[in-house]
Amino acid sequence: AAGVIQSPRHLIKEKRETATLKCYPIPRHDTVYWYQQGPGQDPQFLISFYEKMQSDKGSIPDRFSAQQFSDYHSELNMSSLELGDSALYFCASSGESTGMGTDTQYFGPGTRLTVL
Amino acid sequence: DQQVKQNSPSLSVQEGRISILNCDYTNSMFDYFLWYKKYPAEGPTFLISISSIKDKNEDGRFTVFLNKSAKHLSLHIVPSQPGDSAVYFCAASDGGSNYKLTFGKGTLLTVNP
């Protein structure tokens, strides 16, 4: 079965640079979530989109922005990168295609961002 | 303020025995609970979930129990297999807040052959 796809899998950036992470949800899933997992931490919710509209916002810095496009893929844009932004960034998607309801989120493999 | 708590950072069991992973929560608005399994450098893999209207859900070797009055849930794995060795995250969502997940800090399960 198709899963959530994230690209790139690894990204190395310098401080103050920008980064764009991409997420392709499971086909027919209409909701996308972004999470950040620091070293030894639990994943923290950043932002979510439902039907291309922002549905919820968590502890996302103002330097970050995101959007969901007409094909339901999403991009997380990160500017003025700081050392503390180094983390795993997960995208998850949900929808009714699996019959599980909209509460079950399926995660991608993550993008490991390293800021030097 | 950790709204989902997994108080055991690690658990070690013998192959074939039962693994019991525990999770407590403080937010009474949570109405859907999930368990994810995670290997290093991979994304969390969904295992099993339970709605707050149920007290038990079973899927093969995995059973989740929910005690709403105690705000406690547990994941039972029977029989445990070496391939079950991973970090297990408990997560909860509140349908009224667009289903974002709040995670516990995870429990590292090691199943010894």
PDB file of all heavy atoms in Angstrom, chain A residues 17-52:
ATOM      1  N   GLU A  17      20.268  30.019   6.715  1.00  0.00           N
ATOM      2  CA  GLU A  17      19.790  29.584   5.395  1.00  0.00           C
ATOM      3  C   GLU A  17      18.307  29.214   5.469  1.00  0.00           C
ATOM      4  O   GLU A  17      17.693  29.250   6.540  1.00  0.00           O
ATOM      5  CB  GLU A  17      20.607  28.386   4.899  1.00  0.00           C
ATOM      6  CG  GLU A  17      21.993  28.753   4.407  1.00  0.00           C
ATOM      7  CD  GLU A  17      22.662  27.602   3.677  1.00  0.00           C
ATOM      8  OE1 GLU A  17      22.479  26.431   4.098  1.00  0.00           O
ATOM      9  OE2 GLU A  17      23.365  27.854   2.689  1.00  0.00           O
ATOM     10  N   THR A  18      17.747  28.870   4.306  1.00  0.00           N
ATOM     11  CA  THR A  18      16.353  28.435   4.257  1.00  0.00           C
ATOM     12  C   THR A  18      16.288  26.973   3.831  1.00  0.00           C
ATOM     13  O   THR A  18      17.221  26.443   3.209  1.00  0.00           O
ATOM     14  CB  THR A  18      15.535  29.282   3.271  1.00  0.00           C
ATOM     15  OG1 THR A  18      16.094  29.117   1.967  1.00  0.00           O
ATOM     16  CG2 THR A  18      15.555  30.743   3.643  1.00  0.00           C
ATOM     17  N   ALA A  19      15.181  26.335   4.184  1.00  0.00           N
ATOM     18  CA  ALA A  19      14.981  24.924   3.817  1.00  0.00           C
ATOM     19  C   ALA A  19      13.518  24.703   3.474  1.00  0.00           C
ATOM     20  O   ALA A  19      12.634  25.358   4.043  1.00  0.00           O
ATOM     21  CB  ALA A  19      15.388  24.009   4.974  1.00  0.00           C
ATOM     22  N   THR A  20      13.283  23.812   2.541  1.00  0.00           N
ATOM     23  CA  THR A  20      11.915  23.435   2.179  1.00  0.00           C
ATOM     24  C   THR A  20      11.781  21.935   2.247  1.00  0.00           C
ATOM     25  O   THR A  20      12.521  21.199   1.595  1.00  0.00           O
ATOM     26  CB  THR A  20      11.557  23.914   0.754  1.00  0.00           C
ATOM     27  OG1 THR A  20      11.603  25.342   0.717  1.00  0.00           O
ATOM     28  CG2 THR A  20      10.155  23.456   0.375  1.00  0.00           C
ATOM     29  N   LEU A  21      10.845  21.484   3.056  1.00  0.00           N
ATOM     30  CA  LEU A  21      10.564  20.061   3.199  1.00  0.00           C
ATOM     31  C   LEU A  21       9.237  19.760   2.507  1.00  0.00           C
ATOM     32  O   LEU A  21       8.290  20.538   2.618  1.00  0.00           O
ATOM     33  CB  LEU A  21      10.472  19.663   4.678  1.00  0.00           C
ATOM     34  CG  LEU A  21      11.618  20.116   5.591  1.00  0.00           C
ATOM     35  CD1 LEU A  21      11.427  19.559   6.984  1.00  0.00           C
ATOM     36  CD2 LEU A  21      12.954  19.729   5.028  1.00  0.00           C
ATOM     37  N   LYS A  22       9.202  18.599   1.835  1.00  0.00           N
ATOM     38  CA  LYS A  22       7.995  18.248   1.092  1.00  0.00           C
ATOM     39  C   LYS A  22       7.357  16.976   1.638  1.00  0.00           C
ATOM     40  O   LYS A  22       8.054  16.070   2.117  1.00  0.00           O
ATOM     41  CB  LYS A  22       8.320  18.074  -0.393  1.00  0.00           C
ATOM     42  CG  LYS A  22       8.811  19.354  -1.037  1.00  0.00           C
ATOM     43  CD  LYS A  22       9.008  19.198  -2.534  1.00  0.00           C
ATOM     44  CE  LYS A  22       9.481  20.514  -3.146  1.00  0.00           C
ATOM     45  NZ  LYS A  22       9.630  20.431  -4.618  1.00  0.00           N
ATOM     46  N   CYS A  23       6.047  16.921   1.505  1.00  0.00           N
ATOM     47  CA  CYS A  23       5.286  15.778   2.004  1.00  0.00           C
ATOM     48  C   CYS A  23       4.201  15.423   1.001  1.00  0.00           C
ATOM     49  O   CYS A  23       3.443  16.291   0.571  1.00  0.00           O
ATOM     50  CB  CYS A  23       4.658  16.124   3.353  1.00  0.00           C
ATOM     51  SG  CYS A  23       3.449  14.931   3.943  1.00  0.00           S
ATOM     52  N   TYR A  24       4.149  14.149   0.648  1.00  0.00           N
ATOM     53  CA  TYR A  24       3.115  13.660  -0.258  1.00  0.00           C
ATOM     54  C   TYR A  24       2.266  12.655   0.520  1.00  0.00           C
ATOM     55  O   TYR A  24       2.748  11.581   0.874  1.00  0.00           O
ATOM     56  CB  TYR A  24       3.757  13.019  -1.492  1.00  0.00           C
ATOM     57  CG  TYR A  24       4.567  14.001  -2.282  1.00  0.00           C
ATOM     58  CD1 TYR A  24       5.897  14.262  -1.955  1.00  0.00           C
ATOM     59  CD2 TYR A  24       4.001  14.719  -3.329  1.00  0.00           C
ATOM     60  CE1 TYR A  24       6.650  15.195  -2.663  1.00  0.00           C
ATOM     61  CE2 TYR A  24       4.734  15.652  -4.034  1.00  0.00           C
ATOM     62  CZ  TYR A  24       6.053  15.888  -3.691  1.00  0.00           C
ATOM     63  OH  TYR A  24       6.778  16.827  -4.387  1.00  0.00           O
ATOM     64  N   PRO A  25       1.020  13.005   0.793  1.00  0.00           N
ATOM     65  CA  PRO A  25       0.185  12.141   1.650  1.00  0.00           C
ATOM     66  C   PRO A  25      -0.237  10.866   0.933  1.00  0.00           C
ATOM     67  O   PRO A  25      -0.071  10.730  -0.280  1.00  0.00           O
ATOM     68  CB  PRO A  25      -1.018  13.032   1.955  1.00  0.00           C
ATOM     69  CG  PRO A  25      -1.101  13.975   0.793  1.00  0.00           C
ATOM     70  CD  PRO A  25       0.322  14.220   0.369  1.00  0.00           C
ATOM     71  N   ILE A  26      -0.788   9.953   1.705  1.00  0.00           N
ATOM     72  CA  ILE A  26      -1.372   8.746   1.141  1.00  0.00           C
ATOM     73  C   ILE A  26      -2.502   9.160   0.196  1.00  0.00           C
ATOM     74  O   ILE A  26      -3.270  10.078   0.522  1.00  0.00           O
ATOM     75  CB  ILE A  26      -1.887   7.833   2.269  1.00  0.00           C
ATOM     76  CG1 ILE A  26      -0.698   7.276   3.077  1.00  0.00           C
ATOM     77  CG2 ILE A  26      -2.752   6.701   1.734  1.00  0.00           C
ATOM     78  CD1 ILE A  26      -1.084   6.548   4.328  1.00  0.00           C
ATOM     79  N   PRO A  27      -2.610   8.512  -0.973  1.00  0.00           N
ATOM     80  CA  PRO A  27      -3.673   8.895  -1.914  1.00  0.00           C
ATOM     81  C   PRO A  27      -5.053   8.933  -1.259  1.00  0.00           C
ATOM     82  O   PRO A  27      -5.403   8.063  -0.469  1.00  0.00           O
ATOM     83  CB  PRO A  27      -3.587   7.797  -2.982  1.00  0.00           C
ATOM     84  CG  PRO A  27      -2.143   7.401  -2.971  1.00  0.00           C
ATOM     85  CD  PRO A  27      -1.725   7.476  -1.527  1.00  0.00           C
ATOM     86  N   ARG A  28      -5.775   9.973  -1.558  1.00  0.00           N
ATOM     87  CA  ARG A  28      -7.141  10.234  -1.074  1.00  0.00           C
ATOM     88  C   ARG A  28      -7.176  10.698   0.381  1.00  0.00           C
ATOM     89  O   ARG A  28      -8.255  10.908   0.920  1.00  0.00           O
ATOM     90  CB  ARG A  28      -8.060   9.029  -1.290  1.00  0.00           C
ATOM     91  CG  ARG A  28      -8.219   8.671  -2.759  1.00  0.00           C
ATOM     92  CD  ARG A  28      -9.329   7.667  -2.995  1.00  0.00           C
ATOM     93  NE  ARG A  28      -9.193   6.446  -2.206  1.00  0.00           N
ATOM     94  CZ  ARG A  28      -8.339   5.467  -2.481  1.00  0.00           C
ATOM     95  NH1 ARG A  28      -7.526   5.567  -3.502  1.00  0.00           N
ATOM     96  NH2 ARG A  28      -8.288   4.389  -1.729  1.00  0.00           N
ATOM     97  N   HIS A  29      -6.031  10.863   1.003  1.00  0.00           N
ATOM     98  CA  HIS A  29      -5.998  11.511   2.310  1.00  0.00           C
ATOM     99  C   HIS A  29      -6.041  13.020   2.094  1.00  0.00           C
ATOM    100  O   HIS A  29      -5.309  13.562   1.253  1.00  0.00           O
ATOM    101  CB  HIS A  29      -4.741  11.138   3.089  1.00  0.00           C
ATOM    102  CG  HIS A  29      -4.856   9.824   3.774  1.00  0.00           C
ATOM    103  ND1 HIS A  29      -3.954   9.415   4.743  1.00  0.00           N
ATOM    104  CD2 HIS A  29      -5.774   8.829   3.662  1.00  0.00           C
ATOM    105  CE1 HIS A  29      -4.314   8.222   5.186  1.00  0.00           C
ATOM    106  NE2 HIS A  29      -5.398   7.841   4.542  1.00  0.00           N
ATOM    107  N   ASP A  30      -6.877  13.703   2.881  1.00  0.00           N
ATOM    108  CA  ASP A  30      -7.076  15.123   2.665  1.00  0.00           C
ATOM    109  C   ASP A  30      -6.478  15.997   3.768  1.00  0.00           C
ATOM    110  O   ASP A  30      -6.556  17.215   3.706  1.00  0.00           O
ATOM    111  CB  ASP A  30      -8.574  15.439   2.536  1.00  0.00           C
ATOM    112  CG  ASP A  30      -9.393  14.846   3.675  1.00  0.00           C
ATOM    113  OD1 ASP A  30      -8.807  14.520   4.737  1.00  0.00           O
ATOM    114  OD2 ASP A  30     -10.615  14.705   3.504  1.00  0.00           O
ATOM    115  N   THR A  31      -5.894  15.362   4.780  1.00  0.00           N
ATOM    116  CA  THR A  31      -5.365  16.108   5.910  1.00  0.00           C
ATOM    117  C   THR A  31      -3.890  15.781   6.103  1.00  0.00           C
ATOM    118  O   THR A  31      -3.495  14.617   6.056  1.00  0.00           O
ATOM    119  CB  THR A  31      -6.142  15.765   7.201  1.00  0.00           C
ATOM    120  OG1 THR A  31      -7.538  15.942   6.965  1.00  0.00           O
ATOM    121  CG2 THR A  31      -5.719  16.674   8.342  1.00  0.00           C
ATOM    122  N   VAL A  32      -3.104  16.818   6.298  1.00  0.00           N
ATOM    123  CA  VAL A  32      -1.666  16.661   6.487  1.00  0.00           C
ATOM    124  C   VAL A  32      -1.253  17.330   7.793  1.00  0.00           C
ATOM    125  O   VAL A  32      -1.748  18.421   8.119  1.00  0.00           O
ATOM    126  CB  VAL A  32      -0.889  17.292   5.305  1.00  0.00           C
ATOM    127  CG1 VAL A  32       0.581  17.419   5.635  1.00  0.00           C
ATOM    128  CG2 VAL A  32      -1.071  16.460   4.040  1.00  0.00           C
ATOM    129  N   TYR A  33      -0.377  16.677   8.520  1.00  0.00           N
ATOM    130  CA  TYR A  33       0.139  17.200   9.786  1.00  0.00           C
ATOM    131  C   TYR A  33       1.662  17.230   9.729  1.00  0.00           C
ATOM    132  O   TYR A  33       2.281  16.329   9.166  1.00  0.00           O
ATOM    133  CB  TYR A  33      -0.265  16.289  10.960  1.00  0.00           C
ATOM    134  CG  TYR A  33      -1.736  15.988  11.074  1.00  0.00           C
ATOM    135  CD1 TYR A  33      -2.333  15.021  10.273  1.00  0.00           C
ATOM    136  CD2 TYR A  33      -2.531  16.655  12.007  1.00  0.00           C
ATOM    137  CE1 TYR A  33      -3.679  14.729  10.380  1.00  0.00           C
ATOM    138  CE2 TYR A  33      -3.876  16.368  12.124  1.00  0.00           C
ATOM    139  CZ  TYR A  33      -4.442  15.408  11.307  1.00  0.00           C
ATOM    140  OH  TYR A  33      -5.784  15.119  11.423  1.00  0.00           O
ATOM    141  N   TRP A  34       2.249  18.224  10.359  1.00  0.00           N
ATOM    142  CA  TRP A  34       3.712  18.297  10.484  1.00  0.00           C
ATOM    143  C   TRP A  34       4.084  18.225  11.963  1.00  0.00           C
ATOM    144  O   TRP A  34       3.472  18.899  12.805  1.00  0.00           O
ATOM    145  CB  TRP A  34       4.253  19.600   9.891  1.00  0.00           C
ATOM    146  CG  TRP A  34       4.254  19.648   8.399  1.00  0.00           C
ATOM    147  CD1 TRP A  34       3.309  20.206   7.582  1.00  0.00           C
ATOM    148  CD2 TRP A  34       5.264  19.142   7.525  1.00  0.00           C
ATOM    149  NE1 TRP A  34       3.660  20.072   6.266  1.00  0.00           N
ATOM    150  CE2 TRP A  34       4.863  19.426   6.194  1.00  0.00           C
ATOM    151  CE3 TRP A  34       6.477  18.481   7.718  1.00  0.00           C
ATOM    152  CZ2 TRP A  34       5.630  19.072   5.079  1.00  0.00           C
ATOM    153  CZ3 TRP A  34       7.241  18.127   6.608  1.00  0.00           C
ATOM    154  CH2 TRP A  34       6.807  18.420   5.303  1.00  0.00           C
ATOM    155  N   TYR A  35       5.122  17.422  12.258  1.00  0.00           N
ATOM    156  CA  TYR A  35       5.631  17.275  13.609  1.00  0.00           C
ATOM    157  C   TYR A  35       7.149  17.442  13.594  1.00  0.00           C
ATOM    158  O   TYR A  35       7.813  17.094  12.623  1.00  0.00           O
ATOM    159  CB  TYR A  35       5.303  15.894  14.185  1.00  0.00           C
ATOM    160  CG  TYR A  35       3.836  15.641  14.408  1.00  0.00           C
ATOM    161  CD1 TYR A  35       3.021  15.185  13.372  1.00  0.00           C
ATOM    162  CD2 TYR A  35       3.241  15.859  15.648  1.00  0.00           C
ATOM    163  CE1 TYR A  35       1.674  14.956  13.565  1.00  0.00           C
ATOM    164  CE2 TYR A  35       1.884  15.624  15.857  1.00  0.00           C
ATOM    165  CZ  TYR A  35       1.117  15.173  14.810  1.00  0.00           C
ATOM    166  OH  TYR A  35      -0.229  14.939  15.006  1.00  0.00           O
ATOM    167  N   GLN A  36       7.672  17.916  14.703  1.00  0.00           N
ATOM    168  CA  GLN A  36       9.119  18.065  14.881  1.00  0.00           C
ATOM    169  C   GLN A  36       9.548  17.198  16.059  1.00  0.00           C
ATOM    170  O   GLN A  36       8.928  17.247  17.128  1.00  0.00           O
ATOM    171  CB  GLN A  36       9.452  19.537  15.166  1.00  0.00           C
ATOM    172  CG  GLN A  36      10.913  19.816  15.440  1.00  0.00           C
ATOM    173  CD  GLN A  36      11.110  21.217  15.997  1.00  0.00           C
ATOM    174  OE1 GLN A  36      10.550  21.574  17.025  1.00  0.00           O
ATOM    175  NE2 GLN A  36      11.916  22.031  15.322  1.00  0.00           N
ATOM    176  N   GLN A  37      10.584  16.395  15.860  1.00  0.00           N
ATOM    177  CA  GLN A  37      11.094  15.569  16.950  1.00  0.00           C
ATOM    178  C   GLN A  37      12.563  15.877  17.178  1.00  0.00           C
ATOM    179  O   GLN A  37      13.418  15.542  16.341  1.00  0.00           O
ATOM    180  CB  GLN A  37      10.919  14.085  16.659  1.00  0.00           C
ATOM    181  CG  GLN A  37      11.339  13.194  17.827  1.00  0.00           C
ATOM    182  CD  GLN A  37      11.176  11.719  17.552  1.00  0.00           C
ATOM    183  OE1 GLN A  37      11.163  11.281  16.413  1.00  0.00           O
ATOM    184  NE2 GLN A  37      11.057  10.923  18.614  1.00  0.00           N
ATOM    185  N   GLY A  38      12.856  16.542  18.298  1.00  0.00           N
ATOM    186  CA  GLY A  38      14.231  16.811  18.667  1.00  0.00           C
ATOM    187  C   GLY A  38      14.881  15.563  19.241  1.00  0.00           C
ATOM    188  O   GLY A  38      14.200  14.586  19.566  1.00  0.00           O
ATOM    189  N   PRO A  39      16.194  15.580  19.393  1.00  0.00           N
ATOM    190  CA  PRO A  39      16.919  14.411  19.925  1.00  0.00           C
ATOM    191  C   PRO A  39      16.377  13.986  21.287  1.00  0.00           C
ATOM    192  O   PRO A  39      16.301  14.804  22.209  1.00  0.00           O
ATOM    193  CB  PRO A  39      18.359  14.920  20.018  1.00  0.00           C
ATOM    194  CG  PRO A  39      18.433  16.061  19.058  1.00  0.00           C
ATOM    195  CD  PRO A  39      17.082  16.701  19.067  1.00  0.00           C
ATOM    196  N   GLY A  40      16.004  12.717  21.397  1.00  0.00           N
ATOM    197  CA  GLY A  40      15.517  12.187  22.660  1.00  0.00           C
ATOM    198  C   GLY A  40      14.173  12.722  23.100  1.00  0.00           C
ATOM    199  O   GLY A  40      13.760  12.523  24.251  1.00  0.00           O
ATOM    200  N   GLN A  41      13.482  13.390  22.196  1.00  0.00           N
ATOM    201  CA  GLN A  41      12.184  13.993  22.545  1.00  0.00           C
ATOM    202  C   GLN A  41      11.033  13.262  21.855  1.00  0.00           C
ATOM    203  O   GLN A  41      11.237  12.465  20.947  1.00  0.00           O
ATOM    204  CB  GLN A  41      12.176  15.466  22.119  1.00  0.00           C
ATOM    205  CG  GLN A  41      13.255  16.297  22.780  1.00  0.00           C
ATOM    206  CD  GLN A  41      13.050  16.369  24.277  1.00  0.00           C
ATOM    207  OE1 GLN A  41      11.954  16.602  24.757  1.00  0.00           O
ATOM    208  NE2 GLN A  41      14.123  16.140  25.034  1.00  0.00           N
ATOM    209  N   ASP A  42       9.831  13.558  22.285  1.00  0.00           N
ATOM    210  CA  ASP A  42       8.654  13.064  21.595  1.00  0.00           C
ATOM    211  C   ASP A  42       8.301  14.027  20.465  1.00  0.00           C
ATOM    212  O   ASP A  42       8.664  15.205  20.509  1.00  0.00           O
ATOM    213  CB  ASP A  42       7.474  12.943  22.564  1.00  0.00           C
ATOM    214  CG  ASP A  42       7.237  14.210  23.367  1.00  0.00           C
ATOM    215  OD1 ASP A  42       8.147  14.588  24.150  1.00  0.00           O
ATOM    216  OD2 ASP A  42       6.170  14.821  23.213  1.00  0.00           O
ATOM    217  N   PRO A  43       7.616  13.549  19.444  1.00  0.00           N
ATOM    218  CA  PRO A  43       7.218  14.432  18.347  1.00  0.00           C
ATOM    219  C   PRO A  43       6.285  15.542  18.853  1.00  0.00           C
ATOM    220  O   PRO A  43       5.370  15.287  19.631  1.00  0.00           O
ATOM    221  CB  PRO A  43       6.488  13.492  17.384  1.00  0.00           C
ATOM    222  CG  PRO A  43       7.008  12.123  17.716  1.00  0.00           C
ATOM    223  CD  PRO A  43       7.260  12.153  19.196  1.00  0.00           C
ATOM    224  N   GLN A  44       6.545  16.763  18.386  1.00  0.00           N
ATOM    225  CA  GLN A  44       5.739  17.915  18.764  1.00  0.00           C
ATOM    226  C   GLN A  44       4.992  18.420  17.532  1.00  0.00           C
ATOM    227  O   GLN A  44       5.591  18.639  16.477  1.00  0.00           O
ATOM    228  CB  GLN A  44       6.638  19.026  19.316  1.00  0.00           C
ATOM    229  CG  GLN A  44       7.337  18.658  20.631  1.00  0.00           C
ATOM    230  CD  GLN A  44       6.393  18.621  21.810  1.00  0.00           C
ATOM    231  OE1 GLN A  44       5.505  19.449  21.945  1.00  0.00           O
ATOM    232  NE2 GLN A  44       6.581  17.628  22.674  1.00  0.00           N
ATOM    233  N   PHE A  45       3.713  18.654  17.700  1.00  0.00           N
ATOM    234  CA  PHE A  45       2.864  19.116  16.608  1.00  0.00           C
ATOM    235  C   PHE A  45       3.243  20.539  16.181  1.00  0.00           C
ATOM    236  O   PHE A  45       3.402  21.438  17.029  1.00  0.00           O
ATOM    237  CB  PHE A  45       1.400  19.070  17.043  1.00  0.00           C
ATOM    238  CG  PHE A  45       0.445  19.722  16.081  1.00  0.00           C
ATOM    239  CD1 PHE A  45       0.125  19.118  14.878  1.00  0.00           C
ATOM    240  CD2 PHE A  45      -0.126  20.947  16.384  1.00  0.00           C
ATOM    241  CE1 PHE A  45      -0.754  19.719  13.990  1.00  0.00           C
ATOM    242  CE2 PHE A  45      -1.012  21.559  15.507  1.00  0.00           C
ATOM    243  CZ  PHE A  45      -1.332  20.939  14.302  1.00  0.00           C
ATOM    244  N   LEU A  46       3.354  20.744  14.880  1.00  0.00           N
ATOM    245  CA  LEU A  46       3.671  22.074  14.349  1.00  0.00           C
ATOM    246  C   LEU A  46       2.444  22.731  13.717  1.00  0.00           C
ATOM    247  O   LEU A  46       2.041  23.826  14.093  1.00  0.00           O
ATOM    248  CB  LEU A  46       4.784  21.978  13.298  1.00  0.00           C
ATOM    249  CG  LEU A  46       6.177  21.598  13.793  1.00  0.00           C
ATOM    250  CD1 LEU A  46       7.142  21.475  12.610  1.00  0.00           C
ATOM    251  CD2 LEU A  46       6.695  22.614  14.801  1.00  0.00           C
ATOM    252  N   ILE A  47       1.867  22.054  12.722  1.00  0.00           N
ATOM    253  CA  ILE A  47       0.791  22.667  11.945  1.00  0.00           C
ATOM    254  C   ILE A  47       0.067  21.580  11.162  1.00  0.00           C
ATOM    255  O   ILE A  47       0.639  20.515  10.896  1.00  0.00           O
ATOM    256  CB  ILE A  47       1.363  23.752  11.004  1.00  0.00           C
ATOM    257  CG1 ILE A  47       0.279  24.674  10.452  1.00  0.00           C
ATOM    258  CG2 ILE A  47       2.189  23.130   9.876  1.00  0.00           C
ATOM    259  CD1 ILE A  47       0.843  25.945   9.811  1.00  0.00           C
ATOM    260  N   SER A  48      -1.198  21.855  10.809  1.00  0.00           N
ATOM    261  CA  SER A  48      -1.954  20.888  10.017  1.00  0.00           C
ATOM    262  C   SER A  48      -2.813  21.603   8.986  1.00  0.00           C
ATOM    263  O   SER A  48      -3.142  22.791   9.152  1.00  0.00           O
ATOM    264  CB  SER A  48      -2.832  20.014  10.913  1.00  0.00           C
ATOM    265  OG  SER A  48      -3.787  20.787  11.608  1.00  0.00           O
ATOM    266  N   PHE A  49      -3.167  20.853   7.946  1.00  0.00           N
ATOM    267  CA  PHE A  49      -3.992  21.373   6.860  1.00  0.00           C
ATOM    268  C   PHE A  49      -5.073  20.356   6.519  1.00  0.00           C
ATOM    269  O   PHE A  49      -4.811  19.154   6.472  1.00  0.00           O
ATOM    270  CB  PHE A  49      -3.151  21.644   5.613  1.00  0.00           C
ATOM    271  CG  PHE A  49      -2.174  22.749   5.791  1.00  0.00           C
ATOM    272  CD1 PHE A  49      -0.919  22.499   6.308  1.00  0.00           C
ATOM    273  CD2 PHE A  49      -2.512  24.059   5.469  1.00  0.00           C
ATOM    274  CE1 PHE A  49       0.002  23.527   6.499  1.00  0.00           C
ATOM    275  CE2 PHE A  49      -1.603  25.094   5.655  1.00  0.00           C
ATOM    276  CZ  PHE A  49      -0.351  24.828   6.171  1.00  0.00           C
ATOM    277  N   TYR A  50      -6.269  20.883   6.277  1.00  0.00           N
ATOM    278  CA  TYR A  50      -7.376  20.051   5.831  1.00  0.00           C
ATOM    279  C   TYR A  50      -7.962  20.696   4.591  1.00  0.00           C
ATOM    280  O   TYR A  50      -8.312  21.883   4.615  1.00  0.00           O
ATOM    281  CB  TYR A  50      -8.444  19.942   6.928  1.00  0.00           C
ATOM    282  CG  TYR A  50      -9.736  19.330   6.461  1.00  0.00           C
ATOM    283  CD1 TYR A  50      -9.801  17.993   6.087  1.00  0.00           C
ATOM    284  CD2 TYR A  50     -10.900  20.103   6.375  1.00  0.00           C
ATOM    285  CE1 TYR A  50     -10.991  17.433   5.647  1.00  0.00           C
ATOM    286  CE2 TYR A  50     -12.084  19.551   5.938  1.00  0.00           C
ATOM    287  CZ  TYR A  50     -12.123  18.218   5.569  1.00  0.00           C
ATOM    288  OH  TYR A  50     -13.296  17.668   5.119  1.00  0.00           O
ATOM    289  N   GLU A  51      -8.012  19.940   3.517  1.00  0.00           N
ATOM    290  CA  GLU A  51      -8.552  20.463   2.261  1.00  0.00           C
ATOM    291  C   GLU A  51      -7.901  21.797   1.884  1.00  0.00           C
ATOM    292  O   GLU A  51      -8.595  22.766   1.537  1.00  0.00           O
ATOM    293  CB  GLU A  51     -10.069  20.597   2.343  1.00  0.00           C
ATOM    294  CG  GLU A  51     -10.805  19.287   2.235  1.00  0.00           C
ATOM    295  CD  GLU A  51     -10.727  18.684   0.834  1.00  0.00           C
ATOM    296  OE1 GLU A  51     -10.349  19.387  -0.135  1.00  0.00           O
ATOM    297  OE2 GLU A  51     -11.017  17.475   0.688  1.00  0.00           O
ATOM    298  N   LYS A  52      -6.592  21.847   2.018  1.00  0.00           N
ATOM    299  CA  LYS A  52      -5.766  22.971   1.594  1.00  0.00           C
ATOM    300  C   LYS A  52      -5.876  24.204   2.473  1.00  0.00           C
ATOM    301  O   LYS A  52      -5.297  25.246   2.179  1.00  0.00           O
ATOM    302  CB  LYS A  52      -6.043  23.339   0.124  1.00  0.00           C
ATOM    303  CG  LYS A  52      -5.610  22.256  -0.850  1.00  0.00           C
ATOM    304  CD  LYS A  52      -6.440  22.265  -2.120  1.00  0.00           C
ATOM    305  CE  LYS A  52      -7.749  21.524  -1.906  1.00  0.00           C
ATOM    306  NZ  LYS A  52      -8.534  21.387  -3.150  1.00  0.00           N
TER     307      LYS A  52
END
